Amino acid sequence: QVQLVESGGGLVQPGGSLRLSCAVSGMMIRNFAMGWYRQGPGKRRELVAGIGSGGTTNYADSVKGRFTISRDNAENTIDLQMNSLKPEDTASYLCNLHHWSNDYWGQGTQVTVST
């Protein structure tokens, strides 16, 4: 019954911006850490940005200064603002909720950065 649904992906040129959103249903997110991961074809899934229940954030070195993760507990959503996008950012972006020992995942939204 817990569902995470990502939106906001698309095709963008290098240097452009996108804002991803993850809407969670079936569980309130306020007490739990969440994050954005990404996975390209033939590549392992990697953490892009995480945000704790208290609002602390952490980022992969490759996206520091370009991406910003945020949460809105009232809306039960998290966002990922992506600026200065590079072709290397091309991947499926997945939303994650860490509930104690369980992880819940969305289906992913595709981000393609290309000329």
Side-chain angles (χ1 to χ4, degrees):
Q1 291 189 349
V2 178
Q3 289 188 318
L4 286 68
V5 180
E6 303 95 338
S7 62
L11 175 64
V12 65
Q13 294 187 1
S17 298
L18 285 173
R19 188 175 183 89
L20 308 182
S21 183
C22 172
V24 180
S25 61
M27 183 179 297
M28 302 303 296
I29 71 169
R30 64 183 65 194
N31 293 322
F32 305 106
M34 298 191 67
W36 286 97
Y37 291 71
R38 67 186 181 189
Q39 186 168 24
K43 296 184 177 181
R44 59 191 294 176
R45 186 176 299 175
E46 64 174 347
L47 176 67
V48 177
I51 185 165
S53 60
T56 58
T57 59
N58 61 284
Y59 298 90
D61 288 341
S62 59
V63 307
K64 286 181 179 177
R66 300 189 297 121
F67 291 10
T68 303
I69 187 172
S70 60
R71 66 190 298 152
D72 188 332
N73 290 334
E75 291 284 344
N76 225 43
T77 60
I78 66 166
D79 287 357
L80 184 68
Q81 178 65 47
M82 305 185 295
N83 298 326
S84 302
L85 283 162
K86 305 174 180 179
E88 308 94 271
D89 297 318
T90 296
S92 178
Y93 283 72
L94 301 100
C95 181
N96 168 265
L97 185 157
H98 184 68
H99 180 249
W100 304 113
S101 295
N102 296 328
D103 284 304
Y104 296 93
W105 297 90
Q107 293 296 311
T109 185
Q110 180 66 36
V111 172
T112 302
V113 185
S114 176
T115 58

